[in-house]
Amino acid sequence: MDSFYDILRVARTASTREITAAYHNLARLYHPDRNPGRTAEATVAFQMVQYAYETLSNETSRRDYDDLYQSMNRLVYSEVQCRMREHARFNREYEEERKTRARNAEKREQQAAAEKEREKARSEEAERQKGRKGTCFHSSFCEVVQHKKKIVCDVCGVKRGMKAFMCPYCQKSLCQKCVGEFASSRAKEG
């Protein structure tokens, strides 16, 4: 919204004589009789110029207007500052939230990658263990261990006698049958 000074195109420090001169120039410019094709627009502009002149030409009404305009400006300025602070706070919170989400996403990706690596290591270890169970050629070094109950062979999975053979390399308990089969496998390869 333009101030009355803006409407009359004068400075806030303009004298009464300058205000009157500006009013006469603008009144001639915006008079409805001088603007036959734009009578409605010219009438509105002329009335605004006239009202601004009536207010600013009288010292008392000019002083009241200046006080009111300054207080309105302070109010608008304080409202603008308040909104700017709110906007800045919102931007800070938004940035913090965005950074937190990015950190959390990165953390989740790292955890997923670490879990994938652990799963891969577990899978590889399981394959090595499976290979050891099926092809342990250390059976000639196995220690005989006597148990009180029948044991389950780690290679064939069958519950056999109370005597087991413990391989010192792959840490598996083998039955007599598996030890014999491994011995014959070694003999064929050797």
Side-chain angles (χ1 to χ4, degrees):
M1 177 177 165
D2 291 338
S3 71
F4 287 165
Y5 295 103
D6 294 336
I7 292 170
L8 290 176
R9 300 177 189 167
V10 293
R12 290 195 180 283
T13 58
S15 66
T16 307
R17 183 178 289 177
E18 292 171 326
I19 290 172
T20 303
Y23 166 70
H24 286 295
N25 288 335
L26 292 172
R28 276 192 298 264
L29 181 67
Y30 291 123
H31 197 279
D33 293 342
R34 292 239 170 161
N35 296 291
R38 302 179 344 186
T39 307
E41 295 169 7
T43 302
V44 169
F46 182 75
Q47 288 173 348
M48 291 288 290
V49 168
Q50 197 171 17
Y51 186 65
Y53 173 70
E54 288 172 4
T55 303
L56 297 180
S57 63
N58 181 342
E59 287 298 320
T60 309
S61 62
R62 182 177 180 179
R63 193 172 29 254
D64 292 344
Y65 172 77
D66 287 342
D67 291 342
L68 177 67
Y69 194 77
Q70 285 178 357
S71 65
M72 283 177 48
N73 278 344
R74 279 194 299 270
L75 180 66
V76 168
Y77 181 71
S78 66
E79 179 68 24
V80 167
Q81 279 188 327
C82 182
R83 298 238 176 168
M84 288 174 66
R85 281 193 300 270
E86 287 177 15
H87 184 69
R89 182 180 52 79
F90 173 78
N91 281 345
R92 276 193 310 274
E93 289 174 358
Y94 175 77
E95 277 301 310
E96 288 172 10
E97 179 68 22
R98 188 185 65 74
K99 287 177 182 177
T100 301
R101 286 184 182 188
R103 281 193 302 267
N104 289 343
E106 186 177 330
K107 209 180 282 184
R108 282 192 300 272
E109 288 174 5
Q110 289 173 350
Q111 289 173 345
E115 181 59 33
K116 190 174 181 180
E117 285 295 319
R118 285 192 295 271
E119 183 60 36
K120 183 179 176 184
R122 282 194 294 264
S123 174
E124 289 173 355
E125 182 60 27
E127 284 296 319
R128 278 196 298 278
Q129 290 297 331
K130 186 177 176 185
R132 284 181 186 165
K133 275 185 179 181
T135 59
C136 179
F137 289 106
H138 306 129
S139 54
S140 61
F141 304 108
C142 289
E143 298 175 21
V144 178
V145 180
Q146 189 68 38
H147 292 279
K148 294 183 180 179
K149 306 189 246 182
K150 290 185 175 183
I151 61 111
V152 176
C153 178
D154 287 334
V155 176
C156 63
V158 176
K159 199 173 205 181
R160 301 220 189 248
M162 294 186 293
K163 190 189 305 185
F165 297 87
M166 181 64 88
C167 178
Y169 298 101
C170 63
Q171 301 298 314
K172 302 299 175 197
S173 294
L174 298 115
C175 64
Q176 179 70 42
K177 182 179 177 192
C178 290
V179 170
E181 288 174 2
F182 288 144
S184 63
S185 299
R186 264 197 323 277
K188 288 179 186 173
E189 285 188 16

